[in-house]
Coordinates of all heavy atoms in Angstrom, one line a residue:
S590 N 8.1 9.8 -4.1 CA 8.8 10.9 -3.6 C 10.3 10.9 -4.2 O 10.5 10.2 -5.3 CB 8.9 10.9 -2.0 OG 9.6 12.2 -1.6
K591 N 11.3 11.5 -3.5 CA 12.7 11.5 -3.9 C 13.2 10.1 -3.8 O 12.7 9.1 -3.3 CB 13.4 12.5 -3.2 CG 12.8 13.9 -3.3 CD 13.6 14.9 -2.5 CE 13.0 16.3 -2.7 NZ 13.8 17.3 -1.9
E592 N 14.6 10.0 -4.2 CA 15.3 8.7 -4.4 C 15.3 8.0 -3.0 O 15.2 6.7 -2.9 CB 16.5 8.8 -4.9 CG 17.5 9.7 -4.1 CD 17.5 11.2 -4.4 OE1 16.5 11.6 -5.1 OE2 18.4 11.9 -4.1
W593 N 15.3 8.7 -1.9 CA 15.4 8.1 -0.6 C 14.2 7.2 -0.3 O 14.2 6.2 0.4 CB 15.7 9.0 0.5 CG 14.7 10.1 0.7 CD1 14.7 11.4 0.0 CD2 13.4 10.1 1.2 NE1 13.6 12.1 0.3 CE2 12.7 11.4 1.0 CE3 12.7 9.1 1.9 CZ2 11.5 11.6 1.4 CZ3 11.4 9.3 2.4 CH2 10.8 10.6 2.2
F594 N 13.0 7.7 -0.8 CA 11.8 7.1 -0.7 C 11.8 5.7 -1.3 O 11.3 4.7 -0.8 CB 10.6 7.9 -1.1 CG 9.3 7.3 -1.1 CD1 8.6 7.3 0.1 CD2 8.8 6.6 -2.1 CE1 7.4 6.8 0.2 CE2 7.6 6.0 -2.1 CZ 6.8 6.1 -0.9
W595 N 12.4 5.7 -2.5 CA 12.4 4.4 -3.2 C 13.3 3.4 -2.5 O 13.1 2.2 -2.6 CB 13.1 4.7 -4.7 CG 13.0 3.5 -5.6 CD1 14.1 2.7 -5.9 CD2 12.0 3.0 -6.3 NE1 13.8 1.7 -6.7 CE2 12.4 1.9 -7.0 CE3 10.7 3.3 -6.3 CZ2 11.5 1.0 -7.7 CZ3 9.8 2.7 -7.1 CH2 10.2 1.5 -7.8
L596 N 14.3 3.8 -1.8 CA 15.1 3.0 -1.0 C 14.4 2.3 0.0 O 14.5 1.2 0.4 CB 16.4 3.6 -0.5 CG 17.4 4.2 -1.6 CD1 18.5 4.9 -0.9 CD2 17.9 3.2 -2.5
K597 N 13.5 3.1 0.7 CA 12.6 2.7 1.8 C 11.7 1.6 1.3 O 11.5 0.6 1.9 CB 11.8 3.8 2.3 CG 12.6 4.7 3.3 CD 11.7 5.8 4.1 CE 12.6 6.5 5.2 NZ 11.7 7.3 5.9
L598 N 11.1 1.9 0.0 CA 10.3 1.0 -0.6 C 10.9 -0.4 -0.8 O 10.3 -1.4 -0.5 CB 9.6 1.5 -1.8 CG 8.6 0.8 -2.6 CD1 7.5 1.7 -3.2 CD2 9.3 -0.1 -3.7
R599 N 12.1 -0.4 -1.3 CA 12.8 -1.6 -1.5 C 13.1 -2.4 -0.3 O 13.1 -3.6 -0.2 CB 14.1 -1.3 -2.3 CG 13.9 -0.9 -3.8 CD 15.2 -0.6 -4.4 NE 15.1 -0.4 -5.9 CZ 15.2 -1.2 -6.9 NH1 15.4 -2.4 -6.6 NH2 15.1 -0.8 -8.1
G600 N 13.5 -1.6 0.9 CA 13.8 -2.2 2.1 C 12.6 -2.9 2.7 O 12.8 -4.0 3.2
I601 N 11.4 -2.3 2.5 CA 10.2 -2.9 3.1 C 9.9 -4.2 2.2 O 9.6 -5.3 2.8 CB 9.0 -2.0 3.1 CG1 9.2 -1.0 4.1 CG2 7.7 -2.8 3.3 CD1 8.3 0.1 4.2
Y602 N 10.0 -4.2 0.9 CA 9.9 -5.3 0.1 C 10.8 -6.5 0.6 O 10.4 -7.6 0.7 CB 10.2 -5.0 -1.4 CG 9.9 -6.1 -2.3 CD1 8.6 -6.3 -2.9 CD2 10.9 -7.0 -2.6 CE1 8.4 -7.3 -3.7 CE2 10.6 -8.1 -3.5 CZ 9.4 -8.2 -4.0 OH 9.1 -9.3 -4.9
K603 N 12.1 -6.2 0.8 CA 13.0 -7.2 1.2 C 12.6 -7.8 2.5 O 12.8 -9.0 2.7 CB 14.5 -6.5 1.3 CG 15.0 -6.2 0.0 CD 16.5 -5.6 0.0 CE 17.0 -5.4 -1.3 NZ 18.5 -4.8 -1.2
R604 N 12.1 -6.9 3.4 CA 11.8 -7.6 4.7 C 10.5 -8.4 4.6 O 10.4 -9.5 5.3 CB 11.4 -6.4 5.8 CG 12.8 -5.7 6.1 CD 12.6 -4.9 7.3 NE 11.8 -3.6 7.0 CZ 12.4 -2.5 6.6 NH1 13.7 -2.4 6.3 NH2 11.6 -1.4 6.3

Side-chain angles (χ1 to χ4, degrees):
S590 186
K591 299 179 181 180
E592 63 274 13
W593 58 263
F594 178 85
W595 187 256
L596 298 180
K597 285 189 174 184
L598 182 141
R599 286 180 181 268
I601 289 171
Y602 183 91
K603 288 181 178 180
R604 289 193 289 275

